[in-house]
Structures are given as structure tokens and as C-alpha cells.
Amino acid sequence: MTEALTLAELAEIERAVGVRLPEDYRTFLTEVGNGGPVGGFELTRVVRDGDGWRWTGNDPALIARLGTPFQPFDPAVREEHERARPVAGDFADAAAFEAACRAWIQREDDLYDEEAYGTLVLAHQGCGHVWRLAVSGPHRGTVWDDARGSDVPLTPITGPDGEPLTFSEWHRRLGGGAPAAPPAPSPPRPPRSPATAT
């Protein structure tokens, strides 16, 4: 695990992205560590470079939209887009058809990004498959499985009760455990009585 952030650094990050991060994730970053290995995966880190603060493994354009409430699309959104796919026979010539196809593909890419607004990538699972943390909107604080590259919709990670997992619950499930509690202070030793003093 990499070195934890200071509270001053966290405040600077939140000012830069314009949103307060979920509480348990804030605690993790400042008390446990700023990313690193867990359960065979690598948690993304917050780093500062010449352009300011950014998360490794995240698209800067999406980080700029962390304040946008996260809301997974209704399936009807994708269905409507698919129905709008250009058909060659509807166009007078190849150039017009190609232009329509480019616009349709661009809209496909835009929809992919827009659905992830208000989230950040926590870890990559391979082949474009990632875990996301919702930081804005009604799902704030929950972790989502993103395998949309394999045509699987965004899906919340849930516990045995069916409730979405928070960051700390997901981290424990992944094998990160819970931060160790500081040891309780030893009770003061009672003074010896004069009769037992040596």
C-alpha cells in the first residue's frame, strides 16, 4: 500500500474535482493508504503532476465530471440508440452513409462516457473490465462492476442481503481486511502500598 494522503492533500483534491468523496474512501486514503495491491489487484492512486491531481487508470475527462450525479442508464437508452444505427439504403450515397456512421459511433462513445459520470475507477480487472466507485448522486458510496465492453450492463456489487456494498465492504471482500484498530492504552499501574514497597 502506498503512503496515505494528508488531510490537506485530500482537501486540495476535493477542491480540484469539486466533490466530497465518500466518507469511508476518504478515511482509507488518509489513514490506510493511497492505492496499492489488494486481493491480486491494484487500487488506483491519486497522484499530482504538472496538470494537477488525477487518479491513475482514470480518464481525466471523466474525473472532471465527478460532480455529475451517477445514474446508470435505463435499457431503453441503449435500445433507442441501437434503433438509430444507420442503414446504407436510407442514404443517397456512400459519403452520406459514412458520415452518419461516424456520428452514430461518436454518440455510442459519448453514451459510454456519460453513463460513468460521477464515478471513478477503483481497480482494473483486465480486458477493459473495472470496478467503479460512485461519488455523486443517489448511489454515492457504492461500488459497481463495469463490464460494458463485454455488453454487460453496469451492475452494483452486492452483499448476501442484496444491498450494494460500500467501498470499505468491497475492500474487505476483496481481501483488504479492515484497518487495524490502535491498541488500547494500558491501564495505569496502581501505586504500591508502603507495606509492599522495597
Side-chain angles (χ1 to χ4, degrees), residues 10-104:
L10 178 62
E12 187 178 335
I13 291 164
E14 291 179 328
R15 283 195 300 271
V17 299
V19 67
R20 182 181 176 88
L21 300 172
E23 297 307 318
D24 56 349
Y25 184 54
R26 299 177 86 249
T27 299
F28 178 84
L29 290 175
T30 57
E31 297 184 11
V32 181
N34 176 17
V38 59
F41 299 94
E42 188 80 13
L43 295 181
T44 57
R45 297 181 296 115
V46 198
V47 297
R48 180 164 42 192
D49 57 22
D51 295 323
W53 290 98
R54 64 179 179 84
W55 271 262
T56 58
N58 278 262
D59 183 343
L62 294 186
I63 294 300
R65 302 301 295 265
L66 284 181
T68 301
F70 166 62
Q71 183 60 61
F73 289 160
D74 185 284
V77 174
R78 291 288 180 186
E79 292 166 4
E80 180 180 355
H81 177 66
E82 189 58 36
R83 286 195 297 270
R85 183 190 290 268
V87 177
D90 294 340
F91 297 87
D93 53 51
F97 174 58
E98 290 172 4
C101 286
R102 286 194 297 271
W104 187 88

Side-chain angles (χ1 to χ4, degrees), residues 168-189:
S168 56
E169 292 166 339
W170 168 82
H171 184 256
R172 283 195 294 272
R173 173 187 282 190
L174 200 60
S186 300
R189 175 181 292 179

Side-chain angles (χ1 to χ4, degrees), residues 40-42 121 123-131 145-150:
F41 299 94
E42 188 80 13
V121 172
H124 291 259
Q125 303 177 57
C127 300
H129 190 177
V130 302
W131 284 295
D145 193 52
D146 184 354
R148 291 176 295 160
S150 300

